[in-house]
Amino acid sequence: MRINLHFTITFTLLVIYNISYGQDHHEDEHHNFKHFRIAALLGHAFSPEAKTETSSFLLIPTLGLDIQYWFNHKWGLALKNDIEFAEYLVENKSENSGPLIERSYPFILALPVLFSPWDRTHFTFILGPGIEFSPQKNFVVFRVGAGSEFELGNHWDFSPELIYDLKDGHINVLTFALGVGKRF
């Protein structure tokens, strides 16, 4: 009977110790998780619908700034800002104006959801709405893409991404960008 009492007390203390250690470990892991990330990206966009007076094939340079908030390791929300450094023309699908619309240094503001399905990787899917601002006409944007983060140390990362934008329901744009980011 005395051995059972010692065993019960020892077992109970061991369980309590493990539970308290597990909670401390989980809290440390939670405190080390950086919820915010900011990144600057440099890329090129291709749109088969974009053209100039001299060319029908354009690679448009882009500059982006991403501000992300991660709720946990899998889900986040981003504010993605991109500017295209070009002036070009796209086909107009609306009835009330001419056959072409000029795009002059358009600025895209998007609010996509971020999803990182695999633990221990920083591969992320991007999906969400946005708007493209240009002096001539603003377009609604639907954005889908994927990116990855490669850690450089001290919460800095290198991040390539591939983004597809559908602008105004008929303009296709594919962008490849390289970025540098920091989590804090």
Side-chain angles (χ1 to χ4, degrees), residues 29-100:
E29 210 174 86
H30 180 70
H31 288 298
N32 287 336
F33 178 68
K34 306 294 184 188
H35 291 274
F36 288 96
R37 179 178 178 268
I38 189 165
L41 297 109
L42 185 62
H44 280 86
F46 170 71
S47 175
E49 289 84 12
K51 57 183 132 197
T52 65
E53 294 174 3
T54 59
S55 177
S56 62
F57 180 85
L58 293 178
L59 281 178
I60 303 164
T62 64
L63 183 63
L65 176 68
D66 292 0
I67 302 167
Q68 302 174 352
Y69 179 78
W70 287 87
F71 302 107
N72 54 41
H73 290 283
K74 290 193 180 285
W75 292 97
L77 191 63
L79 179 62
K80 294 181 75 61
N81 307 282
D82 301 318
I83 187 164
E84 297 176 352
F85 291 102
E87 293 180 353
Y88 57 91
L89 302 168
V90 294
E91 185 180 339
N92 186 8
K93 294 284 186 173
S94 66
E95 300 286 330
N96 56 0
S97 57
L100 295 175

Side-chain angles (χ1 to χ4, degrees), residues 62-165:
T62 64
L63 183 63
L65 176 68
D66 292 0
I67 302 167
Q68 302 174 352
Y69 179 78
W70 287 87
F71 302 107
N72 54 41
H73 290 283
K74 290 193 180 285
W75 292 97
L77 191 63
L79 179 62
K80 294 181 75 61
N81 307 282
D82 301 318
I83 187 164
E84 297 176 352
F85 291 102
E87 293 180 353
Y88 57 91
L89 302 168
V90 294
E91 185 180 339
N92 186 8
K93 294 284 186 173
S94 66
E95 300 286 330
N96 56 0
S97 57
L100 295 175
I101 299 175
E102 183 181 343
R103 308 308 289 158
S104 181
Y105 299 93
F107 175 76
I108 300 171
L109 180 68
L111 192 65
V113 172
L114 308 171
F115 178 60
S116 182
W118 299 287
D119 290 337
R120 308 223 182 261
T121 67
H122 294 285
F123 187 80
T124 303
F125 293 102
I126 301 162
L127 178 73
I131 188 163
E132 179 182 85
F133 299 99
S134 184
Q136 295 76 19
K137 184 178 178 183
N138 297 337
F139 288 157
V140 173
V141 176
F142 177 73
R143 176 168 280 193
V144 62
S148 190
E149 298 170 28
F150 299 98
E151 292 184 33
L152 300 175
N154 294 328
H155 306 291
W156 285 93
D157 62 69
F158 169 74
S159 55
E161 69 178 26
L162 186 64
I163 301 290
Y164 169 77
D165 289 330

Side-chain angles (χ1 to χ4, degrees), residues 168-180:
D168 202 34
H170 72 281
I171 301 166
N172 301 290
V173 179
L174 188 63
T175 304
F176 177 72
L178 300 174
V180 174

Side-chain angles (χ1 to χ4, degrees), residues 2-16:
R2 190 167 175 93
I3 293 176
N4 285 342
L5 181 62
H6 285 301
F7 176 76
T8 304
I9 291 172
T10 304
F11 181 74
T12 304
L13 289 174
L14 215 79
V15 168
I16 291 170

